[in-house]
Amino acid sequence: FVFEKDEYRALWKQSKQQCVKKFFQILNQIKKEKYDVAIDLSLGRWYGFFMMLLGIPQRTGFSYKKRGIFLNHKISIDGYHDKHVAEYYMDLVRFLGFSPKQYPMSLELNEQERQYAYRMIGKKAGSITKTIAIIPGGGKSWGEDRFQKLWDVENYACLAKGLEEKGYTIVLLGDSQDTGLCETIAKEMKSTPVSLCARTSLRELAAV
C-alpha cells in the first residue's frame, strides 16, 4: 500500500470529505491484512499512531526527539551521526530476533583506479591544482521534481567560462543522458574542456 502524501494534499484542497474517505479506505485495507509487525523509518509520530490504531502489535522504529511515543520497540536517536543510515536501519531487525551481517558502507578505490583517473583527466598525480569538475545533470534522481535541483545549462556554461578565464581546467562529468548538456557547455568555452560524459564507470567516476 502506497501512501503518497502529495496526492492526499491535492485531494484535500479539492474536497476534504473525499480526502478523509480515501484515507480511511487505505487504513481499512491495511487493517484487513492483520499485520503482526510494522517498521517505521519516518522519524515522526503519526505513522506510529496509525499503526497502533490499526492494532499492529509490534511497532518498531526510532524515537527521534521523543516522537516514538506510539512505538513499543524503539531506539532513541538524536539524528544520524556516527554511522551510515543503512546501519541504523539494520539495528532495528534485532527486535525481530535477527543479528544483521555487517557490510562495508564505503567505496575504497585502489591505486590503479586513481592512476587511471589521472590519465583520463590528462594530468599527472600531484598536478591537479586549479581543476574543477562539473556534473550538469546532477539532480535527475528527483524525477518529476528534478527542476528543483537542476541548474540551467546556460548558468553552468557561464560558470565554466568564468572559471576557465581564471586559469582553471574544467572536467565535465555525467552519463549518456548528459552528453547534450556537456556539449552545450563546451561550445561556450574558449578552450576544449576535458569531457568525460558517458565515458566512466561508477568506480572511475568516483576516482575522477
Side-chain angles (χ1 to χ4, degrees), residues 50-119:
F50 286 114
M51 288 189 292
M52 182 187 70
L53 200 65
L54 294 172
I56 299 175
Q58 183 171 338
R59 303 178 301 279
T60 300
F62 300 111
S63 184
Y64 173 67
K65 294 185 177 180
K66 299 181 180 180
R67 295 174 185 168
I69 56 175
F70 301 110
L71 303 175
N72 50 15
H73 295 81
K74 54 196 171 188
I75 298 174
S76 294
I77 62 172
D78 61 355
Y80 302 126
H81 302 301
D82 54 350
K83 56 187 176 183
H84 197 285
V85 175
E87 294 177 288
Y88 279 95
Y89 289 175
M90 292 301 290
D91 287 340
L92 294 176
V93 304
R94 300 182 192 280
F95 289 116
L96 305 178
F98 297 105
S99 297
K101 292 181 179 179
Q102 297 296 320
Y103 293 96
M105 299 303 295
S106 60
L107 176 63
E108 300 296 335
L109 301 169
N110 58 43
E111 187 58 29
Q112 183 179 358
E113 289 167 329
R114 295 180 187 279
Q115 291 299 330
Y116 181 70
Y118 285 124
R119 291 197 298 273

Side-chain angles (χ1 to χ4, degrees), residues 19 41 182 190 198:
C19 182
L41 306 176
C182 292
K190 293 179 181 178

Side-chain angles (χ1 to χ4, degrees), residues 13-43:
K13 292 179 180 178
Q14 295 173 14
S15 169
K16 293 179 175 59
Q17 185 179 356
Q18 288 299 318
C19 182
V20 171
K21 182 180 178 181
K22 183 178 179 181
F23 181 67
F24 278 97
Q25 282 176 344
I26 193 173
L27 287 182
N28 286 328
Q29 288 174 330
I30 296 171
K31 189 173 184 178
K32 288 178 182 178
E33 297 296 326
K34 298 181 180 179
Y35 288 109
D36 299 306
V37 179
I39 299 176
D40 179 13
L41 306 176
S42 69
L43 302 185

